[in-house]
Amino acid sequence: MATGRVLYTDPAWLVEEGTWSRERATVEREVLGPGVELRFGPYENGRYLVDSPAMHQAAAGCEVLVVYRTQVTEELLDAAGDGLRVVVRQGVGVDNLNADLLAARGIPAYNVPDYCVDEVAAHTSALALALERQLIPQHRTLTGGTFDIYAGGTPHRTNRRTLGIVGFGRIGRAVARRLGSFYGETRVYDPYLGRDLAEGYGARAVDTLEELLAESDLVTLHCPLTPETERLMDADALRAMKPGAFLVNAARGKLVDPEALGKALEQEWIAGAALDVFFPENPHHDPRWEPVLRHPRAVVTSHRAFLSEEAEASSRRRVAELVRAALDGRVDGHPGRVLGQGAGR
Ligand code: NAI
């Protein structure tokens, strides 16, 4: 029987229709069993207090931390103490894990790298096609009382257009397969992959981001957030896009400069943008996003491209199994290891 203490810092799945209840941790209790003390981060007024003394108190003495959107910090690790064995990210992106800090302390970290590929590919396709077919202006116009086939502008035939994919990992490839079927051509920019892989997906690899931006009618981002990709889409990159092109971001908010995007929409450097992710997480917490949020050619969702009943159930079970393996000392070699002692990024 597994024993130990685990803190889930900010699990979204404990909250349903605004109410938080630890009783929802059914899968976790079933997988971990009665010998494991299950703790949850402090939740007040509709949000987790992610960087608070109460969170640090909850972490004290834990062997495993499971983080969702909480940033791993020195204070959090210090609060957990020397018994901390593993940090697990409940999700795909690992930018909040603080890789250098964990590597320096020799604490291995794991994620669930593939639980929502289907969902993100579907969500990205929905965002892209909403832009191409001007669904949001159409919906607003008709529900506002006016029947007008031209509201939002006249679309272009997607088969004459070129799709551009930045980052050709699990999600980028699924997007090529699905969304790519609507487009005449697909370009891929991923500096860490050989160029032949793209051809296996009916796409063509390009050598530079500039080339991809110059050739694509819809650019969709599927690279991780790293020091190299932060503000990848700044004013220069947005200006380098075609004037009739769209931008889709369902990867990470920090890939796009909010002020530059606001300007790009207002001054029509590009024709529209669809975003599932922002920095900060809630764009209403940063006024720089306001011009984007109220722009008629923007489509936005609340960081939920990953979400489906099936994906949530799978990620919860897989994370709980990882936690149990870590408490049993069997976690080495478990798939999903993202970094460990000396491994860096
Ligand atoms: P992955 O690791 O399979 O693929 C990422 C690809 O990006 C790799 O092929 C890598 O070589 C490439 N890459 C790295 N640096 C690059 C650069 N500078 N320019 C272009 N390409 C670069 O990751 P996966 O599963 O495809 O996920 C991609 C990202 O999507 C995640 O890092 C995460 O941030 C985001 N994501 C967002 C979700 C949401 O709900 N909105 C859900 C799941 C993931």
Side-chain angles (χ1 to χ4, degrees):
M1 185 174 74
T3 56
R5 282 161 297 245
V6 51
L7 170 67
Y8 281 73
T9 55
D10 54 336
W13 43 263
L14 281 186
V15 185
E16 238 178 69
E17 291 176 7
T19 59
W20 185 95
S21 168
R22 60 172 60 240
E23 300 310 314
R24 296 201 178 95
T26 46
V27 177
E28 291 68 20
R29 285 189 208 291
E30 179 203 317
V31 173
L32 294 171
V36 174
E37 185 188 331
L38 203 48
R39 300 183 188 171
F40 302 106
Y43 185 82
E44 270 176 29
N45 300 326
R47 61 187 189 94
Y48 283 99
L49 307 179
V50 288
D51 186 20
S52 66
M55 182 69 85
H56 298 156
Q57 216 172 329
C62 283
E63 283 89 3
V64 183
L65 298 178
V66 179
V67 299
Y68 175 52
R69 290 179 182 171
T70 293
Q71 182 71 39
V72 171
T73 59
E74 297 222 22
E75 293 73 26
L76 184 65
L77 299 183
D78 288 344
D82 292 341
L84 181 65
R85 288 192 211 156
V86 165
V87 175
V88 182
R89 157 91 170 105
Q90 182 135 35
V92 176
V94 291
D95 42 281
N96 60 332
L97 281 183
N98 205 338
D100 293 339
L101 176 64
L102 287 177
R105 294 200 179 195
I107 300 171
Y110 292 79
N111 71 343
V112 197
D114 54 8
Y115 77 100
C116 61
V117 174
D118 182 84
E119 285 76 9
V120 182
H123 200 88
T124 300
S125 303
L127 292 174
L129 295 176
L131 287 170
E132 292 284 6
R133 299 302 306 167
Q134 289 127 6
L135 291 194
I136 306 296
Q138 271 292 309
H139 178 84
R140 283 201 190 117
T141 307
L142 188 52
T143 54
T146 305
F147 183 94
D148 175 5
I149 67 163
Y150 295 108
T154 304
H156 289 284
R157 183 177 291 176
T158 50
N159 192 44
R160 296 263 177 94
R161 286 164 70 81
T162 297
L163 170 66
I165 301 176
V166 179
F168 204 52
R170 295 176 184 87
I171 295 170
R173 291 173 214 178
V175 167
R177 271 239 163 87
R178 291 158 182 221
L179 182 59
S181 69
F182 287 98
Y183 287 81
E185 292 187 42
T186 300
R187 302 275 185 274
V188 165
Y189 171 66
D190 189 323
Y192 300 103
L193 291 177
R195 42 177 40 250
D196 291 326
L197 182 69
E199 298 204 14
Y201 288 80
R204 185 162 73 71
V206 296
D207 293 326
T208 63
L209 179 64
E210 290 65 36
E211 228 177 302
L212 180 122
L213 298 177
E215 292 179 12
S216 303
D217 297 295
L218 184 137
V219 173
T220 182
L221 308 179
H222 301 290
C223 53
L225 173 63
T226 63
E228 181 194 27
T229 61
E230 187 166 342
R231 296 180 70 248
L232 187 77
M233 297 309 295
D234 60 7
D236 288 343
L238 288 161
R239 265 209 206 89
M241 288 175 67
K242 289 181 169 183
F246 297 121
L247 175 69
V248 176
N249 183 14
R252 280 293 178 266
K254 276 192 182 174
L255 301 180
V256 177
D257 178 330
E259 274 166 322
L261 180 60
K263 220 169 179 188
L265 290 169
E266 263 160 38
Q267 301 188 2
E268 299 186 12
W269 305 345
I270 63 172
L275 310 169
D276 180 55
V277 285
F278 304 87
F279 186 83
E281 185 72 9
N282 181 342
H284 289 296
H285 295 164
D286 182 344
R288 291 179 309 160
W289 283 111
E290 285 308 318
V292 176
L293 292 175
R294 60 182 150 73
H295 201 279
R297 282 193 303 276
V299 182
V300 292
T301 52
S302 306
H303 194 169
R304 62 174 241 143
F306 64 91
L307 191 62
S308 73
E309 286 195 16
E310 292 80 358
E312 188 168 278
S314 173
S315 100
R316 282 179 59 183
R317 186 161 293 277
R318 287 173 63 188
V319 164
E321 285 168 356
L322 251 166
V323 171
R324 192 182 56 196
L327 292 172
D328 288 347
R330 298 183 282 110
V331 79
D332 278 351
H334 202 287
R337 179 155 176 152
V338 285
L339 45 117
Q341 192 157 20
R345 207 162 255 118

